[in-house]
Structure formats: structure tokens, C-alpha cells
Short mmCIF file of all heavy atoms in Angstrom, two decimals:
data_model
loop_
_atom_site.label_atom_id
_atom_site.label_comp_id
_atom_site.label_asym_id
_atom_site.label_seq_id
_atom_site.Cartn_x
_atom_site.Cartn_y
_atom_site.Cartn_z
N LEU K 1 0.82 -1.21 0.00
CA LEU K 1 0.00 0.00 0.00
C LEU K 1 0.86 1.26 0.00
O LEU K 1 0.59 2.21 -0.73
CB LEU K 1 -0.92 0.00 1.22
CG LEU K 1 -1.99 -1.10 1.26
CD1 LEU K 1 -2.65 -1.15 2.63
CD2 LEU K 1 -3.04 -0.89 0.17
N ALA K 2 1.90 1.27 0.81
CA ALA K 2 2.74 2.46 0.94
C ALA K 2 3.51 2.78 -0.34
O ALA K 2 3.79 3.94 -0.63
CB ALA K 2 3.72 2.29 2.10
N LEU K 3 3.85 1.73 -1.10
CA LEU K 3 4.60 1.93 -2.35
C LEU K 3 3.67 1.98 -3.56
O LEU K 3 4.15 2.07 -4.68
CB LEU K 3 5.63 0.82 -2.53
CG LEU K 3 6.73 0.75 -1.46
CD1 LEU K 3 7.71 -0.37 -1.78
CD2 LEU K 3 7.46 2.08 -1.32
N ALA K 4 2.34 1.91 -3.32
CA ALA K 4 1.38 1.82 -4.43
C ALA K 4 1.81 0.71 -5.38
O ALA K 4 1.92 0.91 -6.59
CB ALA K 4 1.26 3.16 -5.16
N GLY K 5 2.06 -0.44 -4.80
CA GLY K 5 2.56 -1.57 -5.58
C GLY K 5 1.51 -2.16 -6.49
O GLY K 5 0.33 -1.78 -6.49
N SER K 6 1.94 -3.10 -7.30
CA SER K 6 1.06 -3.75 -8.27
C SER K 6 -0.11 -4.43 -7.58
O SER K 6 0.04 -5.06 -6.53
CB SER K 6 1.86 -4.79 -9.06
OG SER K 6 1.00 -5.62 -9.80
N THR K 7 -1.29 -4.33 -8.20
CA THR K 7 -2.47 -5.00 -7.66
C THR K 7 -2.30 -6.52 -7.66
O THR K 7 -2.98 -7.23 -6.91
CB THR K 7 -3.72 -4.63 -8.46
OG1 THR K 7 -3.48 -4.83 -9.86
CG2 THR K 7 -4.09 -3.17 -8.23
N ASN K 8 -1.39 -7.05 -8.48
CA ASN K 8 -1.14 -8.49 -8.47
C ASN K 8 -0.60 -8.97 -7.13
O ASN K 8 -0.72 -10.15 -6.79
CB ASN K 8 -0.17 -8.88 -9.58
CG ASN K 8 -0.82 -8.82 -10.94
OD1 ASN K 8 -1.97 -9.22 -11.12
ND2 ASN K 8 -0.10 -8.31 -11.93
N ALA K 9 0.02 -8.06 -6.37
CA ALA K 9 0.53 -8.44 -5.05
C ALA K 9 -0.59 -8.93 -4.15
O ALA K 9 -0.36 -9.75 -3.24
CB ALA K 9 1.25 -7.27 -4.41
N VAL K 10 -1.82 -8.46 -4.38
CA VAL K 10 -2.95 -8.90 -3.56
C VAL K 10 -3.15 -10.41 -3.73
O VAL K 10 -3.28 -11.15 -2.76
CB VAL K 10 -4.22 -8.14 -3.94
CG1 VAL K 10 -5.41 -8.64 -3.13
CG2 VAL K 10 -4.03 -6.63 -3.74
N LEU K 11 -3.16 -10.87 -4.98
CA LEU K 11 -3.31 -12.30 -5.25
C LEU K 11 -2.21 -13.11 -4.57
O LEU K 11 -2.46 -14.16 -3.97
CB LEU K 11 -3.27 -12.58 -6.75
CG LEU K 11 -4.36 -11.97 -7.62
CD1 LEU K 11 -4.05 -12.23 -9.09
CD2 LEU K 11 -5.72 -12.52 -7.26
N HIS K 12 -0.99 -12.62 -4.68
CA HIS K 12 0.15 -13.39 -4.18
C HIS K 12 0.20 -13.41 -2.66
O HIS K 12 0.48 -14.46 -2.05
CB HIS K 12 1.44 -12.84 -4.77
CG HIS K 12 1.48 -12.89 -6.26
ND1 HIS K 12 1.03 -13.98 -6.98
CD2 HIS K 12 1.91 -11.98 -7.19
CE1 HIS K 12 1.18 -13.74 -8.27
NE2 HIS K 12 1.70 -12.55 -8.42
N LEU K 13 -0.07 -12.30 -2.01
CA LEU K 13 -0.08 -12.28 -0.54
C LEU K 13 -1.18 -13.18 0.01
O LEU K 13 -0.98 -13.90 0.99
CB LEU K 13 -0.23 -10.85 -0.04
CG LEU K 13 1.01 -9.96 -0.19
CD1 LEU K 13 0.65 -8.50 0.02
CD2 LEU K 13 2.11 -10.38 0.79
N LEU K 14 -2.35 -13.14 -0.63
CA LEU K 14 -3.44 -14.04 -0.21
C LEU K 14 -3.03 -15.50 -0.36
O LEU K 14 -3.35 -16.35 0.49
CB LEU K 14 -4.69 -13.76 -1.03
CG LEU K 14 -5.39 -12.43 -0.78
CD1 LEU K 14 -6.50 -12.21 -1.81
CD2 LEU K 14 -5.97 -12.34 0.63
N SER K 15 -2.29 -15.80 -1.42
CA SER K 15 -1.85 -17.18 -1.66
C SER K 15 -0.77 -17.61 -0.68
O SER K 15 -0.76 -18.76 -0.23
CB SER K 15 -1.34 -17.32 -3.11
OG SER K 15 -2.40 -17.08 -4.02
N PHE K 16 0.14 -16.71 -0.32
CA PHE K 16 1.14 -17.04 0.70
C PHE K 16 0.43 -17.39 2.01
O PHE K 16 0.79 -18.37 2.68
CB PHE K 16 2.08 -15.86 0.96
CG PHE K 16 2.92 -15.45 -0.22
CD1 PHE K 16 3.47 -14.17 -0.29
CD2 PHE K 16 3.18 -16.33 -1.27
CE1 PHE K 16 4.25 -13.78 -1.35
CE2 PHE K 16 3.95 -15.93 -2.36
CZ PHE K 16 4.49 -14.66 -2.39
N ALA K 17 -0.55 -16.59 2.37
CA ALA K 17 -1.28 -16.84 3.62
C ALA K 17 -1.97 -18.19 3.58
O ALA K 17 -1.95 -18.94 4.57
CB ALA K 17 -2.31 -15.72 3.84
N ARG K 18 -2.55 -18.52 2.45
CA ARG K 18 -3.22 -19.81 2.32
C ARG K 18 -2.23 -20.96 2.49
O ARG K 18 -2.52 -21.97 3.14
CB ARG K 18 -3.89 -19.89 0.95
CG ARG K 18 -4.82 -21.09 0.78
CD ARG K 18 -5.53 -21.03 -0.58
NE ARG K 18 -6.49 -22.10 -0.71
CZ ARG K 18 -7.73 -22.07 -0.23
NH1 ARG K 18 -8.15 -20.99 0.41
NH2 ARG K 18 -8.55 -23.09 -0.39
N GLU K 19 -1.02 -20.81 1.93
CA GLU K 19 -0.02 -21.87 2.02
C GLU K 19 0.50 -22.08 3.43
O GLU K 19 0.76 -23.20 3.84
CB GLU K 19 1.15 -21.57 1.07
CG GLU K 19 0.82 -21.74 -0.39
CD GLU K 19 0.43 -23.16 -0.76
OE1 GLU K 19 1.00 -24.11 -0.19
OE2 GLU K 19 -0.46 -23.32 -1.61
N VAL K 20 0.68 -21.00 4.18
CA VAL K 20 1.21 -21.15 5.54
C VAL K 20 0.10 -21.36 6.56
O VAL K 20 0.38 -21.61 7.75
CB VAL K 20 2.10 -19.95 5.96
CG1 VAL K 20 3.31 -19.86 5.06
CG2 VAL K 20 1.32 -18.64 5.95
N GLY K 21 -1.16 -21.25 6.13
CA GLY K 21 -2.28 -21.54 7.02
C GLY K 21 -2.63 -20.45 7.99
O GLY K 21 -3.08 -20.73 9.11
N VAL K 22 -2.43 -19.17 7.58
CA VAL K 22 -2.85 -18.06 8.43
C VAL K 22 -3.92 -17.26 7.71
O VAL K 22 -4.07 -17.33 6.49
CB VAL K 22 -1.67 -17.14 8.81
CG1 VAL K 22 -0.58 -17.93 9.50
CG2 VAL K 22 -1.12 -16.40 7.60
N GLU K 23 -4.69 -16.50 8.47
CA GLU K 23 -5.80 -15.75 7.90
C GLU K 23 -5.33 -14.43 7.31
O GLU K 23 -4.64 -13.65 7.97
CB GLU K 23 -6.87 -15.48 8.96
CG GLU K 23 -8.09 -14.76 8.41
CD GLU K 23 -9.13 -14.46 9.48
OE1 GLU K 23 -8.83 -14.68 10.67
OE2 GLU K 23 -10.22 -14.00 9.12
N LEU K 24 -5.69 -14.18 6.08
CA LEU K 24 -5.48 -12.89 5.44
C LEU K 24 -6.59 -12.75 4.41
O LEU K 24 -6.79 -13.65 3.58
CB LEU K 24 -4.11 -12.80 4.77
CG LEU K 24 -3.74 -11.42 4.22
CD1 LEU K 24 -3.41 -10.46 5.37
CD2 LEU K 24 -2.55 -11.51 3.26
N THR K 25 -7.33 -11.66 4.45
CA THR K 25 -8.46 -11.47 3.54
C THR K 25 -8.42 -10.07 2.96
O THR K 25 -7.64 -9.20 3.39
CB THR K 25 -9.80 -11.67 4.27
OG1 THR K 25 -10.02 -10.57 5.17
CG2 THR K 25 -9.83 -12.98 5.04
N LEU K 26 -9.32 -9.84 2.00
CA LEU K 26 -9.44 -8.50 1.43
C LEU K 26 -9.85 -7.47 2.48
O LEU K 26 -9.55 -6.28 2.33
CB LEU K 26 -10.45 -8.49 0.29
CG LEU K 26 -10.06 -9.21 -1.01
CD1 LEU K 26 -11.10 -8.94 -2.09
CD2 LEU K 26 -8.68 -8.78 -1.50
N ASP K 27 -10.49 -7.92 3.55
CA ASP K 27 -10.85 -6.99 4.62
C ASP K 27 -9.61 -6.38 5.25
O ASP K 27 -9.62 -5.21 5.66
CB ASP K 27 -11.68 -7.70 5.69
CG ASP K 27 -13.07 -8.08 5.20
OD1 ASP K 27 -13.55 -7.44 4.24
OD2 ASP K 27 -13.66 -9.02 5.77
N ASP K 28 -8.51 -7.15 5.32
CA ASP K 28 -7.26 -6.60 5.85
C ASP K 28 -6.70 -5.53 4.92
O ASP K 28 -6.22 -4.48 5.38
CB ASP K 28 -6.23 -7.73 6.03
CG ASP K 28 -6.63 -8.71 7.11
OD1 ASP K 28 -6.89 -8.27 8.24
OD2 ASP K 28 -6.69 -9.92 6.82
#
């Protein structure tokens, strides 16, 4: 968010969370 990074980062961060088994959603 601070770097106005690529929107694709949203997909990838959500996928990392899914792989390690922690909660991360669009609400965050």
C-alpha cells in the first residue's frame, strides 16, 4: 500500500497466507 505496488501483489499475498495456514483477507 505504501509503495502503491502492483495489484497483483494482492493475489500473491493471499496465496502465501493460504499456504502457511494463516488468515489474510481483502478486509485486511
Side-chain angles (χ1 to χ4, degrees):
L1 295 169
L3 297 182
S6 168
T7 51
N8 286 319
V10 178
L11 297 174
H12 300 318
L13 286 166
L14 291 171
S15 296
F16 297 158
R18 190 176 185 82
E19 288 298 324
V20 297
V22 303
E23 182 182 8
L24 187 72
T25 71
L26 290 187
D27 290 337
D28 293 306

